[in-house]
Amino acid sequence: AGISVPLVKDVVALGLTAYRTEQAGVIDAGALGKDVDKVVTSGARLALFAQPTSRLSVSGRLYLQDLKQDSTSVYDVGTDLQIGSKAVLEPQSDKLKAANLSLTYKMPGFDIVSATSYFDKTARYNSDLTGSFGPFNSSFGLPADTKWVLFGGFDSKVAAQELRLVSSEVKTGLTWSAGVFWSNEKTKNFGDTPVPFLGNAFGSNTAVDRTHTALFGELGYKFANGMAVNAGVRRTRYESDDQVNLTQFGATTVNNAVIKETPITPHASLSWSDTRSTYYVQASKGFRLGKTNF
């Protein structure tokens, strides 16, 4: 269901959408239940646009989504979509929040643009490991019916801010842009396997705190014959503080690492357009920050 309405004529508008989907399950797990892989997803989107003056425009968006699944879509080979090898179900859940706010202010000859974003994702899942470790329960001094279940998930939060100046649109002449960017990501992954008498048999807990800042700029020119040239450069600073705790049969080791990188990534392009087609050539350099190898 959705609705889009003006709140103030020619000034403020609001859009709202809500949804719910159910994906039917097809896998049975004996005494644990029927159609255990059913997935239910629900969510909402809210959008707000305002133009209080001829120069200022504001756009905001909010996304919410919740996904739940009773068990994974895994079944035993050679069966008619049956699970007989699982001691417990393997439920999963996923919650997402995302928001964005952008502002544009038109100055003589250029625009000031601000973009702010936020992302929050939480996931939980269970994995039944009884089939792998249950046969060895007696070796660990555990009752024969002891279940081995890994409880895992992750929490991730990202905030970002960009501020840039952009030249006004022209058919011919000089074009340019310049700006700054900042983002921070905090992500935690975890997985624990609690077993009676043994405690946390094995698992991992990781934490990443990553900050990304950048300066960038572009300069170009549009010619009357449809040709355009453009060149730009970006200087980025990455800083990441990583930690991994690994547990193996009750013994935990702690690993820490710090990553720092300052790449410079340029690009240049040449293009030509007529009324029907565009031809271009582009050269650019990219960079992607790796992850810590413990």
Side-chain angles (χ1 to χ4, degrees):
I3 185 173
S4 181
V5 294
L7 301 181
V8 179
K9 186 179 180 180
D10 298 330
V11 178
V12 183
L14 175 70
L16 175 63
T17 301
Y19 59 92
R20 176 184 172 89
T21 64
E22 293 189 11
Q23 178 177 310
V26 297
I27 297 174
D28 296 337
L32 298 178
K34 295 177 65 65
D35 301 332
V36 296
D37 58 324
K38 176 182 177 180
V39 182
V40 178
T41 306
S42 57
R45 297 190 297 266
L46 176 68
L48 182 70
F49 179 79
Q51 190 159 6
T53 71
S54 59
R55 290 190 173 188
L56 176 64
S57 61
V58 181
S59 177
R61 292 176 175 83
L62 174 65
Y63 301 89
L64 303 172
Q65 180 172 279
D66 185 20
L67 181 149
K68 293 180 180 180
Q69 186 173 13
D70 292 337
S71 193
T72 59
S73 301
V74 177
Y75 63 91
D76 295 341
V77 176
T79 67
D80 184 17
L81 302 178
Q82 302 287 323
I83 303 177
S85 58
K86 296 295 182 183
V88 296
L89 294 180
E90 299 175 313
Q92 301 186 43
S93 66
D94 190 314
K95 294 183 178 181
L96 170 67
K97 302 174 185 176
N100 172 265
L101 177 66
S102 61
L103 297 90
T104 301
Y105 190 82
K106 295 185 177 296
M107 299 288 290
F110 67 95
D111 296 343
I112 303 174
V113 181
S114 172
T116 307
S117 299
Y118 178 74
F119 173 86
D120 187 338
K121 187 177 178 71
T122 300
R124 298 290 184 268
Y125 59 87
N126 294 357
S127 296
D128 180 22
L129 306 180
T130 308
S132 298
F133 295 94
F136 305 100
N137 282 335
S138 59
S139 301
F140 296 115
L142 300 173
D145 60 350
T146 299
K147 297 177 177 62
W148 296 66
V149 182
L150 185 147
F151 298 91
F154 70 86
D155 300 315
S156 183
K157 294 178 173 61
V158 182
Q161 173 65 47
E162 181 176 313
L163 181 66
R164 63 184 182 270
L165 308 180
V166 184
S167 60
S168 299
E169 185 67 25
V170 294
K171 291 185 177 180
T172 60
L174 189 69
T175 62
W176 58 270
S177 67
V180 295
F181 176 84
W182 170 90
S183 72
N184 177 256
E185 173 195 352
K186 288 181 171 62
T187 297
K188 294 182 178 180
N189 288 271
F190 61 89
D192 297 316
T193 311
V195 179
F197 310 117
L198 296 181
N200 185 18
F202 50 85
S204 65
N205 287 267
T206 69
V208 172
D209 188 343
R210 183 164 294 176
T211 301
H212 168 194
T213 56
L215 297 173
F216 59 89
E218 286 187 343
L219 189 64
Y221 195 89
K222 292 183 177 181
F223 296 90
N225 62 359
M227 184 171 290
V229 294
N230 183 275
V233 65
R234 179 186 183 99
R235 183 184 186 276
T236 308
R237 173 68 172 176
Y238 292 99
E239 294 187 13
S240 185
D241 186 0
D242 298 355
Q243 183 182 79
V244 173
N245 300 338
L246 298 175
T247 301
Q248 294 179 328
F249 294 101
T252 300
T253 58
V254 178
N255 299 275
N256 296 286
V258 175
I259 305 173
K260 293 184 180 180
E261 298 281 357
T262 309
I264 296 177
T265 50
H267 77 90
S269 65
L270 173 66
S271 66
W272 178 78
S273 300
D274 58 20
T275 57
R276 299 180 61 185
S277 306
T278 297
Y279 306 89
Y280 70 93
V281 59
Q282 176 175 281
S284 62
K285 180 181 180 180
F287 178 87
R288 185 174 67 174
L289 188 67
K291 289 193 175 184
T292 304
N293 183 353
F294 291 102

